[in-house]
Structure formats: structure tokens, C-alpha cells
Amino acid sequence: SDDILVVQQAFQNLEDPLPLLNGSVMFRRKVVEEGILFRHLRYVNRGQDDDWLYRVSEKFNATNINKPLYYYRSNNSSMTLNVSHINYFSIFAGDYVRFLKTYRMEQGSDLLEEQNDAVIKTFFAKKKKEITDKDPAYLELYIAHKYLTQENRRQTLTWLFKALWKDLGNSFIWKKIVFVSLSKQS
């Protein structure tokens, strides 16, 4: 059907976000029989679900059904919102998974199965350099924003000051500190 083509094309184009919602995926037993299972992704503590979907899409077709069958609940202690695990590796987890997929498509082999850490470390070093060349305090601002969404003003300010320490001339950071300091606490 047309939907199968749209979903498969999205996987081929490495679209972000993926066209399937990980928590609502149903699949045939054949996927497991083929040995396509969740796996540990070295260096990151997230992205296993997308990695699995990419690997499934390489052997099987996928589609969506037009019914709301999924309810998403947000929890501050979830892996997605847990700020204590954030680092440059985790920030780039989605890029990393797409990089692994691209490598499989271009090289015909899997970096994780090869245990090719040199290529993986080079990928992360390049991503970190790209972002910190433009914004030296990117990680600190990212974490500050996460705390701000959780309405944790103290931690937001702590991370904003860490960001400021890395980039004293950044007027955005100064403005953000003033904004958070003067905003009413809920």
C-alpha cells in the first residue's frame, strides 16, 4: 500500500522523528526469529528503540494504522527526562543511530558487530566539535533547558552559570539568567 511505501521511504531517508511510535509497535514473531532484537548501543543510554526499528525496516515492511491506540505519559524520572544521564554522547544518540544505519547501508556491515570503536569515537568527536565550535556552552544550555521544563529554577540557574563560565560574552545566557532569576516561582 501507499502507507508502507511512505514509512519505508522515511526509514531510507533517515527522517527524524521516525514515522512509527516505538511504544506502540506490533510485530510478527519472524522479527525475533530473524534475531533482530534490542541491543546495547555503546556510549549511549538511549536510542535502542530507534536502532531496532531501523534494523527491522531493513528486512521487513512497516506501516501505520489510523487508530489512536497509544497513550503517552510524561514522568520526570524517565530516561528521556532524567537530566543526570545527559552528556555529549546522549545528546547525539539519534544522530548516532542514523550514523549506524548509514554505515550499514554504505559499507554492508554493522559497526557495533565489528566493535569498530575508532570509527564510532571519531563520529562523536566530530559531532561534539561541530556543535561546540558554534556554541561552546551547548551542553550546559541543553541541560539548563531540561531543568527549566521541569520548573527546577535552582538547577536551571546552576547550569546557566556553568554555561556562562564557558561563554562569558554570550548575551543570550545573560538574558536567560535574568529571566529565570526574575520569573515568579510556581
Side-chain angles (χ1 to χ4, degrees):
S1 84
D2 288 341
D3 191 47
I4 290 175
L5 293 174
V6 168
V7 171
Q8 286 306 109
Q9 192 64 47
F11 279 108
Q12 288 299 315
N13 294 339
L14 305 172
E15 289 181 12
D16 184 26
L18 288 172
L20 301 176
L21 200 54
N22 295 315
S24 65
V25 171
M26 294 173 46
F27 56 94
R28 299 196 185 275
R29 182 181 311 157
K30 186 128 178 86
V31 171
V32 174
E33 291 169 353
E34 291 272 333
I36 307 173
L37 307 171
F38 271 53
R39 63 185 180 170
H40 173 71
L41 299 176
R42 279 195 295 290
Y43 305 107
V44 298
N45 61 350
R46 56 190 65 194
Q48 292 84 356
D49 47 0
D50 286 350
D51 174 65
W52 179 77
L53 283 173
Y54 276 121
R55 290 181 296 116
V56 168
S57 76
E58 292 166 17
K59 292 189 176 188
F60 298 95
N61 288 327
T63 191
N64 284 304
I65 58 173
N66 194 15
K67 288 186 181 184
L69 300 173
Y70 186 72
Y71 175 76
Y72 184 79
R73 182 176 55 92
S74 182
N75 180 330
N76 284 347
S77 65
S78 72
M79 185 183 297
T80 305
L81 297 177
N82 188 332
V83 180
S84 67
H85 297 298
I86 296 175
N87 57 39
Y88 278 106
F89 294 116
S90 64
I91 288 173
F92 301 126
D95 295 318
Y96 176 43
V97 168
R98 286 186 294 281
F99 172 70
L100 294 173
K101 163 76 173 166
T102 301
Y103 190 90
R104 282 193 307 276
M105 288 168 39
E106 293 173 355
Q107 305 298 320
S109 62
D110 192 303
L111 276 171
L112 293 180
E113 290 174 10
E114 294 173 1
Q115 297 187 359
N116 195 335
D117 284 351
V119 173
I120 294 169
K121 286 179 181 178
T122 299
F123 162 79
F124 279 115
K126 180 181 173 198
K127 292 300 289 182
K128 182 179 177 182
K129 182 171 177 14
E130 285 172 6
I131 203 80
T132 56
D133 280 354
K134 288 185 255 178
D135 186 354
Y138 182 86
L139 177 66
E140 292 77 11
L141 286 170
Y142 184 90
I143 293 172
H145 176 73
K146 288 285 189 179
Y147 278 120
L148 185 61
T149 61
Q150 295 174 11
E151 298 180 9
N152 186 332
R153 197 156 93 169
R154 187 174 110 343
Q155 283 294 340
T156 301
L157 285 169
T158 297
W159 283 94
L160 284 171
F161 280 109
K162 288 179 182 186
L164 188 61
W165 183 252
K166 283 194 169 177
D167 194 2
L168 279 169
N170 188 325
S171 63
F172 171 79
I173 299 172
W174 285 102
K175 289 174 187 173
K176 199 72 166 172
I177 289 171
V178 170
F179 171 78
V180 172
S181 298
L182 297 177
S183 64
K184 292 181 180 177
Q185 212 162 357
S186 43

